[in-house]
Amino acid sequence: MSSSEQVELELGQKAFVLGGGIRSDGSDPAHRRRGVYEPLARRQLLFRVAIIITAACSSLAVGVGIGISIGKSGGGSSAGEAEVSGIYADAAREPEDYLSFLVVGDWGRRGEHNQTVVAEAMGRCAEVSKPAFVVSVGDNFYEGGLNSLDDPEFKQSFTDVYNHPSLQVPWHAVLGNHDYGDCGYNETRGEKECPNEADVNRSPSFQLHPSLRRRDWRWYAGRNFELRPVADVHMCFVDTNPHVTSYRKYDWFNRSGGLEQQVPSAESDKLKLLSTLQGSDARWKLVFGHHPMYSNGFWGDEVEDVRNALEATIMQGGAAAYFNGHDHDLQHTMSNYVDVNCSGVTTQKRRLHHFTSGAGSKTGRGFGTSETEFEYDGAGFASVRVSHDRIKVQFWGPALKGAEGLLYTVVINPILGC
């Protein structure tokens, strides 16, 4: 690759990192920086271009030295910081990767229960993986969501925690049950009352409101929407909560802006999802929701509703993987082989990859006896890198004090034949 080609490639990647694509709900992360952020982004971009040009004209040794320094915040770094970042070296974005992002769920606990530790680990990983954005798979604010547009928990659980420089990218979030007003369950899964008087006002409408971006420009939450960050990748985000029938017996089901208003449209939302997936010419299609369809975790016995509602639709639409949270752990499971109709003429046997990334804070619920490809009952997150020939999904632990680091890697090959 010539130096001019390399500069053009890096410019494109950097511009993409600062943007994140245009969503189907009309929000455009590419036009969201204001005030102090815009000059900072330009300086970083010009600095990176200067580094690339220098590296192209210098020796290999000099180029490697510059590569090590890129992504560090501040004027220097300690040996300990370098060692930590080295633990995440396998997450490094490669030249053929035209998309990189992180996935985390079940996190909003005001920095407690390992949330801050996971956030720091995500930041270190992002230094080398260069994510275009972060996907949150729900349960963004415990317990019960936000109670107003001024709720201090938004700052305490989001802005103050995910403050690493490499995490200053758009966050695309779906809703979990706790974002709808669910304040938790006791040991027998009985409903807990919300502890504070202000909790009676909790509603998903607040974290869905675009005015939250005045408090933190990164925040983009929605119920059902799509994102096409690059031509070859089509991402669909689904509100899975209306499909869980057991929620209809709880008090929070009737909250303002809540599930009672969403259930009637759940079937039409599913048909829209199928139409979107089948109508897409993207090489890679990915779907994100809160609830698992397979699980060996705490909620492993309550997956049928969402699986029956959505799995066939997602597979018929040609998606390669489904990402979720809800279970507070990391899991990779596979669907059974299913005959999928191809253009009404032939059928093809397919399996769908399912990834649970719900370990953004509190974990430790244990596992059952169901079969999984991988499971980990500790705090962590997922990194995803997409190229023309493969998707690489990796699970990471918070390797900040000699802990786990890379836990698991799987490569997904393209679906061929249909």
Side-chain angles (χ1 to χ4, degrees), residues 243-289:
H243 299 289
V244 183
T245 57
S246 63
Y247 290 165
R248 301 174 191 183
K249 66 184 179 184
Y250 296 127
D251 291 342
W252 52 270
F253 178 77
N254 302 313
R255 290 283 177 90
S256 174
L259 281 179
E260 186 176 31
Q261 291 96 324
Q262 305 308 314
V263 168
S265 64
E267 188 64 27
S268 63
D269 290 336
K270 183 174 73 170
L271 294 176
K272 290 177 184 177
L273 173 64
L274 179 60
S275 176
T276 298
L277 290 171
Q278 289 185 327
S280 175
D281 61 354
R283 183 175 179 84
W284 297 107
K285 304 172 191 178
L286 304 173
V287 181
F288 303 82

Side-chain angles (χ1 to χ4, degrees), residues 320-334:
Y322 171 73
F323 293 82
N324 63 270
H326 197 53
D327 267 318
H328 297 177
D329 49 46
L330 302 172
Q331 295 184 57
H332 175 210
T333 56
M334 296 288 294

Side-chain angles (χ1 to χ4, degrees), residues 217-412:
W217 66 265
R218 298 174 293 171
W219 186 253
Y220 293 83
R223 298 187 197 272
N224 298 278
F225 60 95
E226 58 184 284
L227 176 68
R228 193 148 185 182
V230 295
D232 258 3
V233 181
H234 204 147
M235 305 169 70
C236 293
F237 299 77
V238 182
D239 187 355
T240 56
N241 293 279
H243 299 289
V244 183
T245 57
S246 63
Y247 290 165
R248 301 174 191 183
K249 66 184 179 184
Y250 296 127
D251 291 342
W252 52 270
F253 178 77
N254 302 313
R255 290 283 177 90
S256 174
L259 281 179
E260 186 176 31
Q261 291 96 324
Q262 305 308 314
V263 168
S265 64
E267 188 64 27
S268 63
D269 290 336
K270 183 174 73 170
L271 294 176
K272 290 177 184 177
L273 173 64
L274 179 60
S275 176
T276 298
L277 290 171
Q278 289 185 327
S280 175
D281 61 354
R283 183 175 179 84
W284 297 107
K285 304 172 191 178
L286 304 173
V287 181
F288 303 82
H290 178 62
H291 294 85
M293 300 183 197
Y294 298 90
S295 175
N296 191 33
F298 184 75
W299 296 107
D301 59 344
E302 294 188 2
V303 298
E304 290 85 0
D305 282 352
V306 175
R307 184 172 68 228
N308 292 339
L310 295 175
E311 186 179 46
T313 295
I314 293 172
M315 295 184 72
Q316 187 67 45
Y322 171 73
F323 293 82
N324 63 270
H326 197 53
D327 267 318
H328 297 177
D329 49 46
L330 302 172
Q331 295 184 57
H332 175 210
T333 56
M334 296 288 294
S335 71
N336 295 323
Y337 281 102
V338 174
D339 287 330
V340 175
N341 185 280
C342 298
S343 304
V345 179
T346 61
T347 60
Q348 182 187 73
K349 290 189 177 297
R350 291 182 186 170
R351 300 180 76 185
L352 182 68
H353 292 266
H354 293 257
F355 296 100
T356 295
S357 184
S361 58
K362 194 173 184 179
T363 58
R365 287 173 164 175
F367 290 111
T369 58
S370 299
E371 183 179 354
T372 63
E373 303 295 317
F374 171 82
E375 58 189 36
Y376 177 73
D377 190 22
F381 61 96
S383 67
V384 184
R385 288 183 287 130
V386 186
S387 70
H388 181 76
D389 296 323
R390 57 98 180 105
I391 297 177
K392 180 178 283 189
V393 180
Q394 295 177 303
F395 285 136
W396 298 90
L400 298 178
K401 297 180 180 179
E404 294 85 356
L406 180 60
L407 301 168
Y408 179 72
T409 300
V410 64
V411 173
I412 302 175

Side-chain angles (χ1 to χ4, degrees), residues 101-105 107 122 133-138 170-174 227 235 237 288 323:
F101 60 93
L102 304 181
V103 183
V104 65
W107 44 266
M122 290 171 62
F133 47 82
V134 176
V135 172
S136 172
V137 285
W171 282 56
H172 299 288
V174 297
L227 176 68
M235 305 169 70
F237 299 77
F288 303 82
F323 293 82

